[in-house]
Amino acid sequence: MIHTESDRIKSLDGKIVYPHARRSDFTFAQHGTIVADPYRWLEEADSEETKAFVAAQTAFGQEYMNKYESKDKFNKRLTQLFNFERYSAPRKHGDYYYYLHNTGLQPQSVLYQRNNLDGDENIRTFLDINELEGGKGAMTTWNFSESGKLFGYGVARLGTDWTTLYLMDNQGNKLPDKIEWTKFTKMTFTHDDKGFFYSSFERPKDAVDGELDMTINQYKHVYYHKIGTSQSEDIIVYVDKEHPTYHPDAIVSEDGRYILIVVAQGCDNLNNVYLVDLEAEGYEIKEDSKLITIADDFSGQHSYLTNKGTTFYFQSNRNAPLGKIVKYDMARPEEGFIDVVPEAMDVLSISSVIDHDKLVLQYTRDVKSVLNVHDLATGTFLYEIKIPVGTVAGIIGHTKDSDLFIQFLSYLTPGTIYRYNFRVEDESERLTIFKQATVQSFDSSMFETKQVFYESKDGTRVPMFVTHKKGLQLDGKNPTLLTGYGGYGVTLQAAYTPQYIVFIQHLNGVVAHAGIRGGGEYGEMWHKAGVLRNKQNSFDDFIWAIEYLIREQYTQPSLVAINGASNGGLLVSAVLNQVPDRIGCVVSDVGPSDMLRFHKFTIGANWQSDYGRPDDSSEDFHYLLKYSPLHTVHKKHPYPAVALFTSTMDDRVVPLHAYKFVAELQYTAGPLTTKPLVVRVESDAGHGLGKPLTKRLEEITDKFAFIAWALDAKWMD
């Protein structure tokens, strides 16, 4: 059927004519409530009708991504700021060091091998990720065996989470072993180099390579693969057939004697821990190995650090929402967990054991990093490693090594890797710069970042970082971008972000990052204060951040853009419906919007730990219904400009969320606003993992061109 302009939805001024989207009368009943779901048909991703919808919406949305007259200038400057050498911290495996390096504009970083840390000789390409799957692959996981002789890596194609595992030796020779259809897995080798453990769900029955599969992922298995055999012979080491959303993974202990089976419950920050004593099993891997229980009541999260004989050390939040270090002696199980470093006043973010007995702890104090060193055996505080104010993104090292590498980030520095050598006698000379990234034509002294605190709706004190040019006039006339996340206990880390620099420098913009509840900024209590039936706290924190920026004269409602990704996409979509009059533009990246059906696709059931169980609980269902973006679009106030970003191969937050939401926005809110309500659909890409730089630059340029056009932000050279 051909639809004429007369029967298509138009904007308030008639200047925007939206693509046609069939609106059905489909409804469903749940917990005594009838819910309309007129775009249920868009859940059929491969139907011809859905494909036609996507094609029409993609072309329509791109029109508005191209309206900003200085889009080419934005892209050129963005590319300049991305064009700098980037390194990961080196890791030692066997006789060699390995690190990732990008010369600047390579689609993916390349894995290099070197003999030592000094000098540039004997550096060679070990694995060029740009050559994987004809340039359409991304490395999702990698690890070496204890000897360093074997290298395992996982490759995902077209951005999906489904991963194929491969093996190489340390001379770069590829082994014939190939493990297909794994997902969210580690690779950990037995110390005899005979095999490795991995985990995955069962392959979906109707899955086709290269097509989006939305089957629910349940009953994750831990497998052991003996090198040189086929995948069909792999041994099932662990599976819980009574709990479909449990996520087990295997870790081999540092001494090679034990297998740790770590079982997570959905996406909650809790796990159970079991051990297999390989020595007692005669170092034979089998299905019915005896499991020794360390923790089995999901009373905390326990992250393995090391073990000294039968004494195991963990980072734990059990009865310690800010985190602590504990030990558990298998020889004295009646003693249970014993505190080594008790809970402090700050959040324990990362911990590692270096140089045999040095316990390095990274604490987060008001979203800034502090590094302390303790004695492993006694927990005694030894000293603080003095680092600049900013974020430690990782501490890299090994129990047997004396070198610690510290990956440091801030909003205005593109990255510094520090090397801390415990064997240097003079403590003041232990910390040196190993690698420091520099960006040509970028002068960080032009900008400033400050941390502010504001009160949320209920009086809670919330941290926020604000970055802008020095000397900014607080006259309420500055285009402002506010971002946030607020879920799963994740803390937004400070990081040099080229698009923010362009926005600030050339659009006279302000960029703010709010550390709202639901995240991990202040530990597990901060997380729990923004999940389940406390989720509105996350939205309120974000709304009150907008109000703070307006009140302090950074900006005004028509100049506010909000953006978030994944759970952050849910955040900005919910806030859009709650306060459309306080925002000038909304961009939601790969966010869930149908909060009554999120759990019915791929990995979504695991998010119920943060969102609730709409099928099982009437209370959860009705709470979700109150904020679900798809179900709360309204006609009370004209909507600002909205762009939803999704990808055809996103099998984490499947694209149906964006498809249904944009159709509902256009139908309900479209006739009452003069602003565009659009979707951008990336082909051959997923949730974001491993997206090549070329696609990222295109996507970022489209996003910020849309924001700049919506806010009427003028380009300044």
Side-chain angles (χ1 to χ4, degrees):
M1 178 179 180
I2 297 175
H3 294 274
T4 63
E5 187 171 308
S6 61
D7 66 357
R8 288 162 60 185
I9 297 167
K10 298 179 182 178
S11 61
L12 182 63
D13 58 7
K15 294 181 179 180
I16 302 173
V17 181
Y18 290 102
H20 175 75
R22 176 172 63 87
R23 189 175 178 87
S24 76
D25 58 1
F26 183 86
T27 63
F28 66 95
Q30 196 162 345
H31 299 297
T33 299
I34 303 297
V35 180
D37 197 357
Y39 301 109
R40 175 71 69 90
W41 58 271
L42 284 168
E43 294 181 6
E44 301 295 328
D46 294 323
S47 74
E48 292 305 314
E49 188 177 18
T50 298
K51 289 178 180 178
F53 169 89
V54 171
Q57 292 286 350
T58 298
F60 177 75
Q62 197 61 49
E63 290 181 30
Y64 290 90
M65 307 287 168
N66 293 336
K67 283 187 176 292
Y68 185 54
E69 61 183 13
S70 298
K71 181 177 181 179
D72 288 343
K73 290 183 177 180
F74 190 100
N75 180 261
K76 182 178 179 180
R77 181 61 174 145
L78 179 71
T79 304
Q80 285 180 338
L81 293 175
F82 261 104
N83 190 10
F84 67 97
E85 282 194 290
R86 298 181 287 282
Y87 294 85
S88 70
R91 300 170 182 261
K92 188 177 184 183
H93 298 283
D95 297 330
Y96 304 108
Y97 289 90
Y98 298 85
Y99 63 95
L100 292 166
H101 175 228
N102 192 306
T103 57
L105 296 177
Q106 289 177 281
Q108 308 272 6
S109 295
V110 176
L111 184 62
Y112 286 88
Q113 181 191 69
R114 62 190 299 171
N115 293 1
N116 51 59
L117 295 176
D118 302 313
D120 293 328
E121 68 279 359
N122 296 317
I123 297 176
R124 52 208 159 264
T125 299
F126 186 69
L127 180 64
D128 188 346
I129 300 163
N130 297 290
E131 297 178 356
L132 301 178
E133 297 289 342
K136 295 184 177 182
M139 189 164 67
T140 58
T141 186
W142 58 282
N143 198 12
F144 283 83
S145 65
E146 179 67 15
S147 69
K149 294 179 180 179
L150 294 174
F151 172 67
Y153 63 102
V155 180
R157 186 169 175 268
L158 301 177
T160 75
D161 287 325
W162 288 111
T163 297
T164 302
L165 305 181
Y166 299 96
L167 290 179
M168 291 168 53
D169 64 24
N170 63 1
Q171 300 306 305
N173 301 306
K174 195 169 182 179
L175 278 63
D177 300 72
K178 181 180 180 181
I179 309 298
E180 297 182 292
W181 294 97
T182 72
K183 187 182 259 195
F184 305 130
T185 184
K186 298 178 173 66
M187 295 180 72
T188 180
F189 291 83
T190 53
H191 283 203
D192 58 11
D193 282 352
K194 291 182 178 180
F196 63 88
F197 299 93
Y198 67 95
S199 57
S200 187
F201 309 93
E202 294 181 354
R203 174 179 176 169
K205 292 181 180 179
D206 300 321
V208 177
D209 186 36
E211 294 184 6
L212 178 66
D213 183 86
M214 298 193 297
T215 307
I216 297 175
N217 303 141
Q218 296 179 318
Y219 301 107
K220 193 178 184 185
H221 295 57
V222 173
Y223 296 93
Y224 172 74
H225 174 76
K226 185 177 180 180
I227 296 171
T229 64
S230 69
Q231 183 176 357
S232 62
E233 299 176 60
D234 291 352
I235 297 169
I236 298 173
V237 177
Y238 182 90
V239 61
D240 190 324
K241 296 181 179 180
E242 296 181 2
H243 300 95
T245 61
Y246 282 11
H247 275 248
D249 279 299
I251 302 170
V252 176
S253 64
E254 284 195 339
D255 60 6
R257 177 177 169 178
Y258 303 95
I259 308 168
L260 289 86
I261 304 294
V262 181
V263 183
Q265 186 180 34
C267 291
D268 218 344
N269 295 323
L270 304 169
N271 61 27
N272 289 340
V273 181
Y274 308 97
L275 293 180
V276 175
D277 185 345
L278 289 177
E279 185 176 275
E281 300 282 338
Y283 287 92
E284 180 185 357
I285 312 298
K286 51 190 178 181
E287 291 190 14
D288 57 350
S289 295
K290 178 183 178 182
L291 292 180
I292 302 168
T293 299
I294 300 296
D296 67 348
D297 58 358
F298 288 113
S299 60
Q301 185 177 57
H302 310 86
S303 300
Y304 171 74
L305 298 175
T306 189
N307 63 292
K308 303 295 183 182
T310 60
T311 301
F312 286 74
Y313 292 84
F314 300 91
Q315 179 178 323
S316 175
N317 61 11
R318 185 174 184 266
N319 299 322
L322 298 180
K324 62 183 178 180
I325 303 299
V326 300
K327 64 181 179 181
Y328 184 97
D329 190 347
M330 286 175 52
R332 299 180 179 84
E334 69 280 0
E335 294 180 357
F337 289 100
I338 298 174
D339 288 359
V340 176
V341 180
E343 183 180 31
M345 298 296 291
D346 301 314
V347 180
L348 178 57
S349 301
I350 306 174
S351 54
S352 187
V353 179
I354 312 292
D355 194 30
H356 302 285
D357 59 358
K358 307 297 190 307
L359 185 58
V360 182
L361 306 180
Q362 182 218 320
Y363 287 96
T364 302
R365 182 176 299 160
D366 284 333
V367 205
K368 298 186 289 284
S369 297
V370 177
L371 278 181
N372 290 340
V373 180
H374 293 250
D375 178 75
L376 177 65
T378 65
T380 303
F381 171 78
L382 300 178
Y383 50 84
E384 179 182 344
I385 299 176
K386 298 294 185 180
I387 56 173
V389 175
T391 298
V392 172
I395 51 178
I396 311 300
H398 193 276
T399 306
K400 296 185 292 187
D401 298 331
S402 59
D403 279 319
L404 169 70
F405 293 94
I406 304 163
Q407 197 114 22
F408 180 83
L409 300 171
S410 76
Y411 293 112
L412 298 176
T413 56
T416 303
I417 299 172
Y418 291 96
R419 180 182 181 181
Y420 188 89
N421 193 321
F422 286 95
R423 299 295 173 86
V424 174
E425 191 168 332
D426 187 342
E427 187 177 323
S428 65
E429 297 182 2
R430 292 177 181 171
L431 186 69
T432 57
I433 293 177
F434 180 72
K435 290 287 184 183
Q436 186 160 27
T438 57
V439 182
Q440 300 298 320
S441 70
F442 169 59
D443 181 4
S444 63
S445 67
M446 295 173 53
F447 311 91
E448 63 179 323
T449 296
K450 55 187 175 183
Q451 186 178 38
V452 300
F453 296 88
Y454 65 92
E455 283 194 1
S456 187
K457 181 179 181 180
D458 61 1
T460 298
R461 182 175 178 263
V462 182
M464 180 163 62
F465 286 100
V466 182
T467 304
H468 52 73
K469 284 194 288 191
K470 288 180 179 177
L472 180 80
Q473 287 190 339
L474 298 181
D475 56 6
K477 298 179 181 179
N478 305 299
T480 297
L481 175 65
L482 174 66
T483 70
Y485 189 76
Y488 304 106
V490 173
T491 301
L492 278 182
Q493 292 187 327
Y496 166 81
T497 309
Q499 57 265 39
Y500 296 162
I501 300 299
V502 182
F503 182 78
I504 294 168
Q505 181 178 3
H506 296 286
L507 303 181
N508 200 43
V510 176
V511 176
H513 306 269
I516 63 177
R517 283 174 284 184
E521 284 78 2
Y522 293 104
E524 190 59 13
M525 290 181 68
W526 193 256
H527 170 217
K528 294 300 185 185
V531 302
L532 301 174
R533 294 174 213 165
N534 293 321
K535 191 64 181 174
Q536 185 60 39
N537 286 337
S538 295
F539 309 143
D540 288 341
D541 289 354
F542 200 73
I543 292 167
W544 258 250
I546 296 172
E547 296 303 324
Y548 173 90
L549 293 167
I550 295 170
R551 185 174 65 252
E552 296 298 317
Q553 290 289 296
Y554 285 99
T555 192
Q556 56 186 278
S558 64
L559 295 178
V560 173
I562 60 174
N563 176 225
S566 198
N567 180 78
L570 165 64
L571 166 72
V572 299
S573 297
V575 167
L576 162 68
N577 288 339
Q578 295 186 15
V579 289
D581 57 323
R582 308 303 285 169
I583 309 163
C585 180
V586 178
V587 178
S588 171
D589 299 330
V590 293
S593 59
D594 187 344
M595 300 309 292
L596 304 185
R597 290 178 57 75
F598 68 89
H599 56 300
K600 296 182 181 294
F601 306 97
T602 65
I603 204 69
N606 293 276
W607 310 338
Q608 293 178 117
S609 56
D610 254 43
Y611 299 148
R613 301 180 177 276
D615 285 353
D616 304 331
S617 167
S618 175
E619 291 81 2
D620 285 355
F621 170 84
H622 286 98
Y623 189 90
L624 286 161
L625 188 59
K626 289 180 181 179
Y627 77 74
S628 175
L630 178 63
H631 302 94
T632 52
V633 181
H634 58 80
K635 301 180 179 181
K636 299 174 185 176
H637 191 282
Y639 270 50
V642 178
L644 310 179
F645 280 55
T646 188
S647 300
T648 58
M649 296 298 291
D650 188 348
D651 56 358
R652 196 173 309 180
V653 180
V654 291
L656 68 88
H657 287 278
Y659 299 166
K660 294 170 71 173
F661 189 32
V662 77
E664 185 62 43
L665 282 169
Q666 291 173 357
Y667 177 83
T668 301
L672 300 178
T673 183
T674 60
K675 307 298 183 182
L677 310 170
V678 302
V679 64
R680 182 189 189 275
V681 184
E682 181 75 67
S683 62
D684 293 343
H687 197 62
L689 178 68
K691 185 177 290 184
L693 184 59
T694 47
K695 279 185 177 288
R696 290 171 58 201
L697 289 172
E698 292 171 0
E699 179 182 293
I700 292 167
T701 300
D702 278 355
K703 178 191 299 185
F704 278 82
F706 182 82
I707 291 172
W709 176 80
L711 302 185
D712 195 24
K714 304 303 181 184
W715 181 269
M716 297 180 294
D717 288 319

